[in-house]
């Protein structure tokens, strides 16, 4: 039973990481801090290039988790958009601007925590010779328009 719950929490963390990447989050890291701290099991850290993107990433995580039936206990830093924290109790999400992430260095703080890998989706390989998407219908060439008739001698 405990193992099943742990796997579910790990799945929640990876779902959050995937949601962040869907909004072009960079340097997404999932840390397993189980046994290292008493207040959470996983930490998801990612960064955005602007405050607007920080909010978009946080919004998408919130929407994704709401669709999965989970609400956060608290969300902090949304208005400033430089460091947004979303707390799901077992998983804590940090969305940073690059300079803020470098300053607080949570990756360095949790250097001993195992990194969760394998959740990243591989982009589909391009298949040579096969067109991507739906085929486009070819249109018949346009016929030239007829010149308007004019009467001779009319001015």
């Amino acid at each position: 039973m405990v193992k099943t719950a742990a796997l579910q929490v790990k799945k929640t963390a990876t779902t959050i990481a995937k949601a962040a990447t869907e909004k072009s989050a960079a340097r997404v890291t999932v840390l397993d801090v189980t046994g290292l701290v008493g207040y959470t099991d996983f930490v998801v850290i990612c960064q955005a290039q602007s405050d607007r993107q920080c909010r978009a990433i946080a919004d998408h995580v919130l929407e994704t988790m709401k669709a999965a039936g989970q609400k956060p206990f608290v969300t902090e830093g949304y208005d400033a958009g430089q460091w947004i924290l979303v707390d799901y109790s077992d998983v804590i999400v940090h969305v940073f601007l690059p300079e803020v992430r470098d300053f607080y260095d949570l990756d360095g703080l949790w250097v001993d925590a195992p990194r969760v890998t394998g959740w990243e989706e591989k982009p589909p390989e391009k298949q040579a010779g096969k067109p991507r998407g739906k085929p486009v219908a070819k249109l018949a060439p346009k016929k030239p328009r007829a010149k308007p008739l004019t009467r001779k001698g009319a001015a």
Side-chain angles (χ1 to χ4, degrees):
M1 181 82 166
V2 173
K3 191 171 186 177
T4 304
L7 288 175
Q8 183 60 39
V9 174
K10 183 176 181 179
K11 183 179 178 189
T12 298
T14 58
T15 299
I16 289 169
K18 287 177 186 177
T21 59
E22 288 171 1
K23 290 297 178 180
S24 301
R27 294 177 54 204
V28 180
T29 306
V30 180
L31 304 172
D32 183 350
V33 295
T34 307
L36 298 175
V37 296
Y39 56 87
T40 194
D41 293 325
F42 289 88
V43 176
V44 178
I45 305 169
C46 62
Q47 73 183 39
Q49 295 305 311
S50 67
D51 58 344
R52 187 176 192 159
Q53 187 187 14
C54 267
R55 286 191 214 57
I57 292 167
D59 285 342
H60 192 61
V61 166
L62 289 165
E63 290 167 7
T64 301
M65 296 311 295
K66 183 178 181 181
Q70 294 191 31
K71 294 181 182 178
F73 287 95
V74 68
T75 301
E76 294 286 339
Y78 187 88
D79 291 335
Q82 295 183 4
W83 175 5
I84 301 174
L85 180 140
V86 184
D87 184 351
Y88 286 100
S89 183
D90 293 332
V91 181
I92 296 179
V93 186
H94 299 275
V95 185
F96 287 106
L97 288 179
E99 58 275 9
V100 179
R101 181 177 186 167
D102 292 342
F103 180 81
Y104 287 102
D105 191 25
L106 294 186
D107 300 271
L109 177 67
W110 299 113
V111 71
D112 294 335
R115 271 57 178 164
V116 177
T117 59
W119 60 268
E120 306 91 347
E121 290 185 19
K122 307 284 187 256
E125 293 184 28
K126 293 182 181 177
Q127 296 178 354
K130 291 192 176 182
R132 294 171 45 182
K134 293 182 180 179
V136 177
K138 293 188 177 185
L139 300 175
K142 290 185 178 180
K143 294 181 181 178
R145 288 188 176 190
K147 294 182 183 178
L149 297 176
T150 57
R151 292 187 182 167
K152 288 188 178 182

